[in-house]
């Protein structure tokens, strides 16, 4: 520790350890947060941040160590108990109910009667105290992501917690909204002496918003320092455990400004139009418009980044190219030929490869083997008279495993047992090995560690260089800036504007992501 | 294409990721194998399952014994009767093998449908419809006897497949839940048979033997019964051989064919399957029809091999017990055979129980106890697997730290 905290710590962890079988998730972690302080918990995916916080909330029992809250050792039973003790968390994924109003949702999280007037007044009071502007009678379904997050924060503050934990809070926000969130946090800490833990894997956020930074790697706290003394190279080295090039890995490290400032050499490798979507419109089962007259044109060899705040039609767009969504109107053309939407296998047959956002949902079959997952897009290729040729499958799988550097002891291991990065490599290997004309990659690096992120980015770039038209759909601006040649913004089911990567203007992009066509 | 062609996408991978910057230490690797967990050895699973089976089976014996003793019977006599009826008395295991045929076929069909994610629980009705199909052809169609047997069995498979196919079409067209439609169709089937065997212009037995005009068909002529085989003093019909061959063929196709892969894909992850071009209506609906056809064939073989006469309750619980067979075999097609044999011994064995003077209700309870004992190890394994999966999930969550 470089500096003793001024006040008695509100939350203190001493020697907390947790193992999951052979994996040490947390190894003798010490951590303390004092009132009036924002501590950044930095680490790449898999460093043990989330496990640590799950231990604090009572979701995972620790193997060893002590949790002290308000100066007393506590055994936290569950998140409700944690809240009673004064520790509350704002999760990455919201737990609010769309059909209910703000005050109704705020009520759901707590105890007490159902006095509408009192609850409304309470919401108004909280929102005034903390400068979290919100209409208590608004329906959650009508709010945007940052407003929903405000509701989550109000729900959390209603319990009057001494410690607030925020888990990757900016993943659903635009740049501008993130900046405002940090201002609110700052005030909350300064005026009300709360203690805040901010979990993030983005250097920029940590540098921007915290007082002290604690860096975890492989379950251990490897470094701790006042944020004022930290700089990106130091943090990056501590986080990854080796010297990293901030330029080359800016995306994986969450250095947006570094990325935006990078000079881009204009490449004129874009060729013929390979993918054309015209007026794509589709509604969900609840009648809500998922896609609303979306137009899109993609050329061979280029990477088009589709940026946007989560929930604006990205999922539907990926489903469309996975043949899982049928259009109500509009058309998809690949290489000049119309491809029927929603017909199983049609998109794949037309040469559209997809790396889906949630690979477990539509990218692979967990219960099949690695080899089966590698060939499942076109099993006929490795079969004779309808009977699978095992030696051919094995040979093909081995070739792909070697070529795509997939770490697995054998092709016949259940896919379920692979680590996230290796699972993603299997999906990539299968989609790229079928020589696609178009590759649709949705959040391809989500949840991966720095090494795997570099790997996946490299593969996608190489595919584009080889002439594949790449559609990169992502809510992570870093990912888009890293890879895309051209950037379009998706808002409420349509693309509302675009700009070349070379002429990038972050403020304009942020406005567009908020729905203002600029 | 195989291997890394020079022009393949990704063939010219930039240095990123592959090699860390020269001079710096290599990045730490947490799992050399790339795995987040270990595979459990199959031998350990088998040992555990066998152990559980022994424990629960012993439990069933003890409870049945106590029950029989409490109503004044002799537990040892009951156990003797069970064993005599199923295995020990002359010709007993032949009868058990014959009883195994419908159970194995139904169980196999259920495995196919369940593996595709189509929960066909209407096998009892499909067995009945299969028997009806066979009876109609054998009793009404012209032709030599050997041909009638073949056509009759084909008709039984077609009738069972048709009955399950109704549910498949309703699901494909209107999203009608397969679980519900197959179950409800089960209660329609016996009534159709009752209608058919009560009309003299249809299948009602109008011979002089049936003076009271009971609702049943004529007995099938002896020449149209399934041919018998002599096995070490036991008589079995050739259906036993056919069932074993069918089970082996389906097990092979499920594991090794393109069809089997598509079907397993659909059952495990329908979204991935659809993206890869598996049409649920064809593969899944097809699995449903196949499972109905297997159940129908079971009914046809029971009629032409053992019952010889059509009645409305012809299915005789084969459908329900076949479902249990598939579940106890944990949807493993090869496991269907031994499990079906076990269930068949319970059925033939409990036939002998009544001879001990114990009331029918008690023998039913005894039989049910053994069914429960057979099901429990599978249930325990499922619960255990779920725990293991959860531990694995937690572990990989700790590993991947998403959310």
């Amino acid at each position: 520790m470089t500096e003793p905290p001024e006040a008695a710590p509100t939350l203190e962890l001493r020697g907390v350890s947790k193992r999951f079988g052979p994996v040490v998730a947390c190894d003798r972690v010490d951590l303390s947060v004092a009132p009036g302080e924002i501590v950044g918990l930095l680490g790449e995916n898999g460093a043990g941040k989330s496990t640590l916080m799950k231990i604090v909330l009572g979701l995972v029992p620790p193997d060893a160590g002590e949790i002290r809250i308000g100066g007393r050792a506590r055994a936290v039973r569950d998140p409700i108990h944690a809240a009673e003790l004064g520790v509350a968390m704002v999760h990455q994924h919201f737990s609010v109910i769309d059909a209910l109003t703000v005050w109704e949702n705020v009520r759901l999280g707590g105890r007490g009667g159902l006095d509408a007037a009192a609850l409304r007044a309470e919401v108004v009071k909280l929102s005034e105290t903390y400068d979290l502007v919100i209409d208590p009678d608004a329906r959650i379904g009508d709010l945007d992501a940052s407003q929903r997050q405000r509701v989550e924060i109000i729900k959390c503050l209603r319990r009057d917690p001494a410690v607030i934990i925020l888990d990757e809070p900016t993943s659903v926000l635009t740049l501008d909204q993130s900046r405002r969130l940090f201002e609110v946090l700052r005030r909350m800490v300064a005026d009300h002496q709360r203690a805040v833990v901010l979990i993030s894997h983005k250097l920029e956020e940590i540098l921007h918003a915290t007082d002290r930074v604690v860096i975890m790697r492989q379950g251990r706290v490897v470094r701790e320092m006042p944020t004022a003394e930290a700089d990106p190279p130091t943090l990056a080295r501590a986080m990854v455990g080796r010297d990293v090039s901030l330029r080359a890995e800016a995306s994986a490290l969450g250095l947006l400004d570094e990325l935006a400032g990078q000079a881009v050499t204009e490449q004129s490798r874009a060729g013929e139009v390979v993918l054309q979507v015209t007026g794509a419109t589709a509604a969900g089962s609840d009648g809500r418009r998922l896609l609303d007259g979306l137009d899109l044109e993609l050329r061979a060899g280029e990477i088009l980044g589709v940026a946007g705040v989560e929930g604006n039609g990205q999922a539907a767009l990926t489903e469309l190219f996975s043949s899982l969504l049928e259009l109500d109107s509009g058309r998809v053309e690949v290489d000049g030929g119309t491809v029927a939407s929603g017909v199983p296998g049609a998109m794949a047959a037309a040469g559209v490869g997809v790396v889906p956002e949630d690979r477990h949902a539509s990218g692979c079959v967990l219960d099949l083997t690695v080899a089966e997952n590698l060939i499942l897009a076109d099993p006929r290729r490795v079969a004779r008279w309808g009977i699978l040729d095992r030696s051919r499958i094995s040979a093909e799988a081995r070739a792909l495993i070697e070529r795509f550097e997939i770490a697995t002891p054998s092709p016949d291991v259940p896919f379920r047992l692979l680590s996230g990065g290796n699972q993603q490599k299997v999906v990539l290997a299968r989609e790229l090995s079928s020589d696609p004309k178009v590759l649709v990659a949705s959040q391809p690096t989500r949840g991966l560690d720095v090494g795997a992120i570099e790997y996946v980015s490299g593969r996608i770039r190489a595919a584009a260089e080889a002439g594949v038209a790449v559609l990169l759909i992502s809510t992570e601006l870093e990912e888009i800036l890293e890879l895309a040649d051209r950037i379009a913004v998706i808002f409420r089911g349509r693309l509302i504007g675009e700009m070349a990567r070379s002429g990038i203007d972050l403020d304009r992009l942020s406005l567009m992501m908020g729905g203002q066509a600029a | 294409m195989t291997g890394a062609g020079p022009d393949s996408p990704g063939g010219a991978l930039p240095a990123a990721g592959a090699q860390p910057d020269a001079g710096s230490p290599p990045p730490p690797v947490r799992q050399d194998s790339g795995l987040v967990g270990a595979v459990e050895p199959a031998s350990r699973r088998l040992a555990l399952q066998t152990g559980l089976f022994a424990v629960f089976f012993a439990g069933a014996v003890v409870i049945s014994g106590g029950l029989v003793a409490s109503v004044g019977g002799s537990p040892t006599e009951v156990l003797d009767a069970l064993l005599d009826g199923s295995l020990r008395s002359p010709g007993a295991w032949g009868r058990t093998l014959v009883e195994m045929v419908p159970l194995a076929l139904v169980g196999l069909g259920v495995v196919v449908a369940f593996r595709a994610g189509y929960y066909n629980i209407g096998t009892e009705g499909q067995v009945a419809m299969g028997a009806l199909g066979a009876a109609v052809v054998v009793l009404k169609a012209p032709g030599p006897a050997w041909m009638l047997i073949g056509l009759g069995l084909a008709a039984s498979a077609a009738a069972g497949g048709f009955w399950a196919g109704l549910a498949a079409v309703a699901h494909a067209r209107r999203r009608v839940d397969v679980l519900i439609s197959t179950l409800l169709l089960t209660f329609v089937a016996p009534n159709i048979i009752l209608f058919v065997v009560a009309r003299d212009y249809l299948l009602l037995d109008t011979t002089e033997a049936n003076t009271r005009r009971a609702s049943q068909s004529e007995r099938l002529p002896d020449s149209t019964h399934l041919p018998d085989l002599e096995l070490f003093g036991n008589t079995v019909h050739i259906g036993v051989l056919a069932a074993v061959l069918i089970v082996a063929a389906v097990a092979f196709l499920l594991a090794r064919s393109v069809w089997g892969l598509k079907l397993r894909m659909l059952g495990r992850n329908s979204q991935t399957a659809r993206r890869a071009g598996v049409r649920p209506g064809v593969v899944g609906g097809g699995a449903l029809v196949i499972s109905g056809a297997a159940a129908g064939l079971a009914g046809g073989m029971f009629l032409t091999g053992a019952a010889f006469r059509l009645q409305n309750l012809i299915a005789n619980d084969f459908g329900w017990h076949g479902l249990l067979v598939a579940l106890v075999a944990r949807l493993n097609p090869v496991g269907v055979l031994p499990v079906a044999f076990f269930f068949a011994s319970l059925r033939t064995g409990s036939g002998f129980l009544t001879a001990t003077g114990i009331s029918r209700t008690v023998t039913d309870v005894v039989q049910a106890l053994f069914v429960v004992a057979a099901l429990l190890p599978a249930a325990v394994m499922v619960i255990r697997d779920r725990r293991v999966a959860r531990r694995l999930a937690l572990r990989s969550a700790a590993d991947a730290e998403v959310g």
Side-chain angles (χ1 to χ4, degrees), chain A residues 401-413:
Chain A
I401 284 168
E402 199 189 318
R403 195 173 126 207
F404 285 83
E405 297 154 44
I406 300 161
T408 174
S410 122
D412 301 320
V413 165

Side-chain angles (χ1 to χ4, degrees), chain A residues 20 23 46 48-51 218 345 360-362 364-365 372 386 388 390 396 403 407 417 419 431 433 435 454 459, chain B residues 1-4 9-10 17 28 30 33-36 256-258 264 268-269 271-272 274-275 277 395 398-399 401 403:
Chain A
F20 294 102
V23 179
K49 301 172 306 222
S50 295
T51 308
Q218 293 182 40
H360 291 179
S362 68
C364 63
V365 185
E372 283 171 325
L388 296 166
R390 277 190 181 173
E396 290 217 3
R403 195 173 126 207
L417 296 177
S419 63
E431 297 302 315
S433 67
D435 279 333
E454 285 171 37
R459 282 290 176 184
Chain B
M1 48 160 274
T2 32
R30 252 166 111 201
S33 63
L35 295 190
V36 294
R256 297 283 300 276
S257 72
V258 171
R264 287 181 287 137
R268 290 299 194 172
N269 189 334
Q271 285 203 15
T272 305
R274 278 169 63 190
R275 144 124 181 79
R395 201 181 290 170
D399 199 53
E401 290 257 335

Side-chain angles (χ1 to χ4, degrees), chain A residues 371-372 375 382 388-398 411:
Chain A
E372 283 171 325
I375 56 111
V382 287
L388 296 166
D389 181 342
R390 277 190 181 173
S391 53
R392 261 183 78 186
I393 292 176
S394 192
E396 290 217 3
R398 273 174 214 286

Side-chain angles (χ1 to χ4, degrees), chain B residues 37-52:
Chain B
V39 198
E40 190 177 30
S43 58
R44 216 181 110 198
R45 287 189 68 85
L46 190 69
L48 188 73
Q49 237 164 337
T50 318
L52 281 172

Side-chain angles (χ1 to χ4, degrees), chain B residues 239-259:
Chain B
V240 175
L241 208 64
V244 172
L245 289 176
I246 292 172
V247 168
V250 171
F252 175 80
L253 289 175
L254 257 185
R256 297 283 300 276
S257 72
V258 171
W259 167 77

